[in-house]
Amino acid sequence: MCRWLAYSGTPMLLDTILYKPTHSLIDQSLHSKLGVETTNGDGFGIGWYTQEDITPALLKDVGPAWNNRNLREIADHVRSPLLFAHIRASTGTAVQQSNCHPFRHGRWMFMHNGSIAGFHLMRRDLCLLVDPAQFTDIEGTTDSEVMFHLALTFGLDQDPPTAVARMAGVVERVGREHGVEFPLQMTVAVTDGESVWAFRYSTQGASRSLFYSSSVDSLRRLHPDIGFLQEVSDETRLIVSEPLGDLPGVWNEVPESSYGLVRPGADALHSFAPIPA
């Protein structure tokens, strides 16, 4: 399917986040260890915020991330406090820029790993549930973008966990109406530029991998010789589809059927369940 990464914390060059780790997201585009596919070469996208603008910038391309010259060029020059990055392995929809993650609406970004099983059967029904004011902004053909606009329809800008839970409930209801036993598989990240919510859920209870980094304060105590940890704030956090390296104590698996919230102050981990439609 796909691999993704969300970074929040001290403003950092994209190169440090995307290229420098031992098992970086760029490396995962060729050598994923925990994904359904080893290679994720059906396009990529990054979205980042600056301290000057609440609307994120996007860079997307249909080629693989591992040899994209534009991505390599900007990675050495762009610094951001909040980054989404996604490498795509298509589950059947076209390889085109409008189908690359992350998706943007105003200040919001959304990216997804997983799928809606039988999406071709239920696409029309799901699209009819999207607020008409939101529907005109759907540019691509993926299940992921429809999920995003359903969440927007259900109040993402007021209460992200409830909106995503209502979206998941609708997908499961419509899926079962079409005879799909296990409609939803998702790890999802969503942000408003200040907070990041990350969800891990599947109807079958066997969700795709998702990990979060330990607190910087605890990592400094574990690894006092690592300079990077001295440079970043205690607020710095990464959420990833698979670990970026094997340094002890860094990575923690997000529990099944749960979501995490990363924001200034204390982060939080909560249980997650769809709200029946």
Side-chain angles (χ1 to χ4, degrees):
M1 291 187 178
C2 305
R3 304 278 82 184
W4 59 254
L5 169 157
Y7 171 86
S8 176
T10 299
M12 191 67 58
L13 280 175
L14 304 193
D15 172 71
T16 303
I17 304 166
L18 296 178
Y19 286 90
K20 287 188 175 178
T22 305
H23 188 46
S24 69
L25 196 68
I26 303 304
D27 182 62
Q28 291 175 34
S29 66
L30 274 170
H31 306 295
S32 172
K33 298 176 181 178
L34 301 180
V36 176
E37 298 87 6
T38 301
T39 303
N40 297 272
D42 294 329
F44 74 90
I46 60 171
W48 70 95
Y49 296 84
T50 67
Q51 294 171 322
E52 292 76 30
D53 198 336
I54 63 170
T55 302
L58 294 181
L59 172 68
K60 301 182 182 186
D61 204 343
V62 296
W66 66 76
N67 68 351
N68 189 276
R69 295 181 65 183
N70 290 331
L71 179 61
R72 176 67 270 183
E73 178 69 20
I74 72 164
D76 290 324
H77 299 278
V78 172
R79 191 180 299 270
S80 175
L82 204 164
L83 168 73
F84 273 15
H86 187 281
I87 51 176
R88 185 170 184 247
S90 173
T91 55
T93 50
V95 178
Q96 59 192 46
Q97 281 195 18
S98 58
N99 284 345
C100 293
H101 309 220
F103 302 103
R104 176 181 62 190
H105 180 82
R107 73 181 191 276
W108 290 89
M109 282 200 299
F110 177 102
M111 60 184 175
H112 168 229
N113 174 36
S115 66
I116 297 176
F119 179 61
H120 65 289
L121 300 174
M122 63 182 89
R123 180 181 175 190
R124 179 178 182 275
D125 290 351
L126 292 175
C127 285
L128 286 173
L129 296 172
V130 174
D131 185 330
Q134 304 290 346
F135 183 80
T136 55
D137 291 332
I138 297 177
E139 297 181 346
T141 60
T142 63
D143 50 358
S144 305
E145 192 176 12
V146 172
M147 290 167 63
F148 179 32
H149 284 273
L150 283 169
L152 288 165
T153 297
F154 297 142
L156 186 67
D157 58 345
Q158 282 90 41
D159 185 347
T162 297
V164 174
R166 291 183 65 192
M167 175 273 290
V170 160
V171 169
E172 290 191 330
R173 175 182 65 80
V174 174
R176 286 166 176 154
E177 288 173 355
H178 286 270
V180 179
E181 184 179 7
F182 301 117
L184 185 58
Q185 173 71 246
M186 71 175 205
T187 63
V188 159
V190 62
T191 183
D192 60 357
E194 296 180 359
S195 302
V196 178
W197 293 263
F199 301 82
R200 185 180 185 219
Y201 175 79
S202 62
T203 311
Q204 194 172 9
S207 302
R208 300 291 178 251
S209 59
L210 193 64
F211 298 83
Y212 64 94
S213 61
S214 299
S215 70
V216 171
D217 183 57
S218 67
L219 291 176
R220 288 193 192 109
R221 292 194 297 270
L222 276 174
H223 307 285
D225 56 329
I226 296 180
F228 173 80
L229 296 174
Q230 310 306 319
E231 299 170 5
V232 298
S233 72
D234 291 349
E235 302 283 357
T236 298
R237 187 80 74 172
L238 278 156
I239 307 170
V240 297
S241 293
E242 60 185 77
L244 305 184
D246 55 6
L247 200 63
V250 175
W251 302 106
N252 312 275
E253 187 172 15
V254 175
E256 184 71 50
S257 300
S258 64
Y259 76 92
L261 170 59
V262 174
R263 62 182 173 184
D267 299 336
L269 192 62
H270 303 278
S271 61
F272 175 82
I275 296 175

